[in-house]
């Protein structure tokens, strides 16, 4: 999935029969979490993203011409015990995160997608009350590794 849009995706923007959905990949391997904020599951590039009503907000990403350490916050609300156990049961700090935007045609099929954010989880917290539960995931861009300083000066 390229950060730049394909010719097919660009030509679909010229029309007015498309909509957008957000695709999220959290982790890699067997325990990868693939979610979308769409009301239906989405298949994009042979990968199925599961519809999730718990995705409530995705932070904005700022861009610049120089490498910067940016970040994004993913908020999941109304999560069930499965989602809470998912984060508590594994060490997710440092895991891969990709957020993409997917264009959908009028029959809800993927036209194409482009990367919105790529990075790693830096922190997460779970807020659980009697009436609601929320998982907040903080992510840093992959440029974070270039800011680290190790050893003596």
């Amino acid at each position: 999935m390229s950060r730049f849009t394909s010719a097919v995706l660009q030509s679909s923007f010229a029309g007015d029969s498309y909509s957008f959905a957000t695709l999220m990949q959290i982790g890699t391997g067997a325990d990868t979490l693939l979610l979308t904020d769409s009301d239906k599951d989405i298949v994009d590039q042979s990968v199925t993203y599961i519809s999730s009503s718990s995705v409530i907000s995705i932070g904005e990403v700022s861009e610049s011409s120089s490498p910067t350490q940016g970040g994004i916050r993913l908020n999941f609300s109304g999560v069930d015990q499965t989602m809470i156990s998912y984060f508590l049961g594994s060490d997710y700090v440092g895991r891969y995160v990709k957020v993409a935007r997917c264009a959908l045609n009028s029959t809800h099929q993927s036209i194409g997608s482009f990367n919105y954010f790529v990075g790693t989880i830096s922190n997460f917290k779970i807020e659980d009350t009697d009436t609601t539960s929320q998982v907040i995931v903080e992510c840093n861009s992959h440029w974070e590794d270039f800011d680290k300083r190790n050893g003596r000066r």
Side-chain angles (χ1 to χ4, degrees), residues 49-122:
Y49 295 84
I50 306 302
S51 175
S52 175
S53 61
S54 64
V55 179
I56 59 165
S57 70
I58 298 168
E60 292 185 19
V61 176
S62 62
E63 294 187 357
S64 70
S65 60
S66 62
T68 59
Q69 179 185 339
I72 193 170
R73 176 183 280 191
L74 308 174
N75 290 341
F76 302 92
S77 182
V79 296
D80 60 10
Q81 193 60 39
T82 306
M83 175 82 103
I84 293 172
S85 297
Y86 184 80
F87 280 95
L88 290 177
S90 301
D91 182 21
Y92 276 88
V93 174
R95 293 238 181 153
Y96 178 79
V97 172
K98 178 171 68 175
V99 178
R101 295 290 286 160
C102 180
L104 305 171
N105 64 17
S106 59
T107 60
H108 211 73
Q109 303 299 310
S110 172
I111 300 169
S113 58
F114 58 92
N115 288 344
Y116 181 71
F117 176 84
V118 177
T120 57
I121 294 175
S122 58

Side-chain angles (χ1 to χ4, degrees), residues 6-63:
S6 68
V8 173
L9 190 55
Q10 288 179 11
S11 67
S12 70
F13 292 157
D16 51 343
S17 61
Y18 68 92
S19 59
F20 279 104
T22 302
L23 309 176
M24 286 174 280
Q25 175 183 347
I26 301 175
T28 57
D31 59 349
T32 301
L33 190 60
L34 298 167
L35 300 173
T36 179
D37 62 354
S38 174
D39 61 341
K40 297 178 184 173
D41 294 353
I42 295 176
V43 177
D44 182 60
Q45 299 182 12
S46 301
V47 177
T48 302
Y49 295 84
I50 306 302
S51 175
S52 175
S53 61
S54 64
V55 179
I56 59 165
S57 70
I58 298 168
E60 292 185 19
V61 176
S62 62
E63 294 187 357

Side-chain angles (χ1 to χ4, degrees), residues 69 94 120 140-151 153:
Q69 179 185 339
T120 57
N140 286 331
S141 74
H142 64 281
W143 293 109
E144 173 192 32
D145 292 338
F146 293 101
D147 268 355
K148 291 182 180 177
R149 288 182 170 68
N150 293 326
R153 291 187 185 211

